[in-house]
Amino acid sequence: MRGWLGRGRGQSAYVQQADEWRGTTVQVCGLWPYSVGTGTPMIGVPLGRHLFTGSTVCADPISWFQRAKLISNPSCFVLGLPALGKSTTVRRMAAGLAGYGSIPFILGDLKPDYVDLIEALGGQVIRLGRGRGYLNVLDPGESTDAANALRAAGFVKEAEEVEADAHGRRLTMVSALLSILRKQSPSDVEESIIDAALRVLDQKFTDTVPVLADLLAVVQEGPAELREVAVDRGDWAEYQKITRGLEASLISLTRGGRLGETFARHTTNPMVRDRPVVYDISGLKETDTDLRAATLLACWSNGFATVNVAHALAEAGLEPQRHYFVIMDELWQALRSGAGMVDRIDALTRLNRQFGVGQAMITHTMHDLEGLPEEDRAKARGFVERAGMLICGGLPQAEMPLLTAAVPFSRAEQRLLTGWSAPPSWDSATGRESEPPGRGRFLVKVGGRPGIPLAVKLTEAERAINDTNKRWAAQSRVGRRAHEEAAIPEEVNA
């Protein structure tokens, strides 16, 4: 097989690869010692096939945490250059987990990449943005009905906890909006005034839901509860002086200031807890930095409030236990969209086990995290270090020092990742670029264990919901509009 031995006789130094077949242990048990185990997990969503053995690779953060016990934290961090299939892989996880009973939540789709998937799953699409939809930050959502159900069933303490959580969430969101608007946090006195005003609103609006204009009206009226925490000592002029800045900020929030009226009106599409949900905020421009930051915070607050309600009802035995899969795509945009975003995400990544949710965070490179202010970089690197699993696609060589500082990678694994980042070749026969070598190829890492290389291939059912370049599907055309064409006289030959 290696040719004739000797000089000039054509001996080959290359040993041909042996033929390989796959089979069950029953089928190949007599081939010992010429068989080898595949060693890939078979618990979770089928992602693809092992690049070297061809065996099926199953992986998702919830299944590996809950059933397989392979990771200690139900979260994954996905890295890879654009157009290599990061979002496609996470969408497959979401679809598979929906089949297992977990509910996908996309709390802020910036592109959007997940609307088609959620619609195909029969879920809820909530569109937000200027003129597209509104999210009332004073709306307790499903907390009121849940508290009433708990109280009716005899769970008074649990009902009070749900109501307290809803109150704290509304206070936090109003304070967050003021922080984004002012570029600084509200004072302690202002937060106390807001807290008292929310309690006054709860007493006044027992059958309806208040909005920010109602909060502004309470602050302007200055009832005894607010004047007490303002410490105006019975001087109305002093109270007006104390609340002047707060009043001006609330006026800006209610009358179309920098953040528009997105949070000043009643919620147009209330979120539900029993089916997949995506917040489509793709209508917000990248230049609307403050509005994007505020909208993301509101979506996360609303989403995790819904999760809290679901868990409270499940623990009381009033509803079945539900688990949620929260996806944060284009993480770099969320991190850079405003002050406080890193701290907010940092808190979520530390509490996902307590919240009963799995998480997937997606960004391009480690340098996306390095682009943050210096005080936020260490926190952002902690997202990668604490993730239960790390899924890496093609990455440039410059990424390796930052990546290996967070998670150890062998030299062979680093060569694999950098090889997948190579640009596609030019196919002279078709006149187009061939498929990039790293498209659909990923390395699944868990701590210091050897990575699992796999190839993700789409099924026909998935192709329709995985086109992230829809606006490039049609060929560009330059020409006059129809009524202009009709007005042009025909050319006459001389």
Side-chain angles (χ1 to χ4, degrees):
M1 291 180 64
R2 298 181 64 179
W4 295 101
L5 184 63
R7 183 176 180 181
R9 295 193 179 186
Q11 180 188 20
S12 173
Y14 174 73
V15 179
Q16 295 184 8
Q17 184 177 357
D19 294 331
E20 297 182 11
W21 288 269
R22 294 180 63 233
T24 65
T25 53
V26 174
Q27 293 171 320
V28 301
C29 60
L31 296 180
W32 185 89
Y34 305 107
S35 61
V36 61
T38 56
T40 55
M42 294 296 291
I43 298 177
V45 177
L47 285 188
R49 293 193 178 277
H50 196 288
L51 281 179
F52 303 145
T53 66
S55 60
T56 302
V57 178
C58 300
D60 69 78
I62 293 181
S63 299
W64 277 24
F65 171 76
Q66 184 182 31
R67 293 190 288 147
K69 312 295 184 184
L70 293 174
I71 57 179
S72 59
N73 186 3
S75 65
C76 68
F77 201 99
V78 185
L79 286 167
L81 294 177
L84 295 184
K86 301 185 301 299
S87 299
T88 299
T89 302
V90 176
R91 278 194 294 270
R92 171 168 289 185
M93 281 188 187
L97 285 171
Y100 283 131
S102 298
I103 301 176
F105 273 4
I106 297 87
L107 305 179
D109 191 356
L110 293 161
K111 291 183 91 170
D113 282 342
Y114 298 87
V115 171
D116 292 341
L117 171 64
I118 298 303
E119 288 180 341
L121 293 174
Q124 181 184 20
V125 179
I126 303 175
R127 292 181 170 85
L128 298 176
R130 300 182 187 274
R132 304 182 76 205
Y134 304 96
L135 180 60
N136 180 14
V137 295
L138 300 187
D139 190 348
E142 297 181 317
S143 300
T144 302
D145 293 339
N148 293 335
L150 289 168
R151 194 170 280 109
F155 297 93
V156 178
K157 181 180 178 181
E158 288 77 2
E160 293 175 351
E161 290 177 355
V162 169
E163 291 174 339
D165 177 78
H167 176 81
R169 177 176 58 85
R170 291 183 295 167
L171 173 61
T172 300
M173 270 311 306
V174 174
S175 299
L177 292 180
L178 295 178
S179 299
I180 294 173
L181 187 66
R182 299 175 172 181
K183 302 301 181 183
Q184 64 179 10
S185 301
S187 66
D188 296 341
V189 173
E190 288 178 328
E191 287 193 345
S192 298
I193 293 173
I194 296 170
D195 178 73
L198 290 174
R199 298 187 188 279
V200 172
L201 287 176
D202 290 339
Q203 297 173 1
K204 294 178 62 176
F205 292 82
T206 56
D207 298 326
T208 57
V209 177
V211 294
L212 285 175
D214 300 313
L215 178 66
L216 171 62
V218 171
V219 173
Q220 291 174 333
E221 291 170 4
E225 295 90 340
L226 273 66
R227 297 186 63 177
E228 182 179 353
V229 298
V231 197
D232 64 355
R233 305 191 186 281
D235 187 347
W236 175 249
E238 181 67 17
Y239 173 80
Q240 290 182 312
K241 181 179 179 181
I242 294 172
T243 59
R244 181 177 181 179
L246 177 60
E247 183 178 346
S249 298
L250 290 175
I251 289 175
S252 177
L253 289 174
T254 55
R255 300 180 184 176
R258 192 164 70 249
L259 299 184
E261 297 181 346
T262 304
F263 312 104
R265 300 187 184 184
H266 289 285
T267 301
T268 52
N269 192 359
M271 183 180 180
V272 297
R273 62 180 179 273
D274 58 351
R275 55 183 171 140
V277 176
V278 56
Y279 279 98
D280 179 9
I281 60 174
S282 58
L284 300 178
K285 299 179 181 179
E286 292 189 13
T287 54
D288 287 335
T289 306
D290 292 340
L291 181 57
R292 284 163 72 99
T295 305
L296 283 170
L297 280 175
C299 292
W300 293 343
S301 176
N302 218 33
F304 280 92
T306 302
V307 171
N308 182 67
V309 167
H311 290 334
L313 293 172
E315 290 171 0
L318 302 181
E319 285 189 359
Q321 180 67 58
R322 296 184 178 94
H323 293 110
Y324 299 91
F325 183 47
V326 177
I327 300 173
M328 297 179 177
D329 204 345
E330 299 294 332
L331 183 66
W332 64 275
Q333 293 194 41
L335 293 174
R336 299 181 187 179
S337 58
M341 302 301 288
V342 174
D343 292 327
R344 181 68 173 172
I345 300 176
D346 183 61
L348 296 180
T349 58
R350 294 178 184 274
L351 296 175
N352 53 353
R353 284 186 298 179
Q354 287 81 356
F355 279 134
V357 300
Q359 284 181 335
M361 294 175 284
I362 309 170
T363 191
H364 295 141
T365 64
M366 293 291 290
H367 278 92
D368 292 341
L369 309 181
E370 293 297 312
L372 298 170
E374 186 175 356
E375 62 272 14
D376 291 335
R377 292 176 192 170
K379 300 176 185 177
R381 284 195 294 267
F383 302 159
V384 181
E385 297 168 355
R386 288 194 304 274
M389 66 171 68
L390 179 62
I391 301 177
C392 294
L395 292 169
Q397 183 63 43
E399 282 293 301
M400 294 303 114
L402 293 174
L403 186 62
T404 54
V407 178
F409 280 77
S410 67
R411 291 185 179 180
E413 291 171 341
Q414 294 181 44
R415 287 195 297 268
L416 202 62
L417 296 179
T418 55
W420 291 340
S421 67
S425 60
W426 181 262
D427 190 343
S428 58
T430 61
R432 298 180 179 179
E433 285 186 344
S434 59
E435 185 174 291
R439 178 169 294 170
R441 286 166 169 75
F442 295 94
L443 186 71
V444 181
K445 286 282 291 184
V446 176
R449 300 176 185 175
I452 303 173
L454 62 95
V456 179
K457 296 292 184 182
L458 295 179
T459 63
E460 289 301 322
E462 291 177 295
R463 294 187 185 279
I465 60 172
N466 280 280
D467 185 6
T468 58
N469 295 317
K470 289 182 179 180
R471 293 187 176 180
W472 294 95
Q475 185 69 30
S476 299
R477 292 288 184 269
V478 178
R480 296 182 176 89
R481 291 172 291 180
H483 69 278
E484 292 178 342
E485 288 284 356
I488 299 176
E490 298 182 1
E491 293 183 3
V492 179
N493 293 328

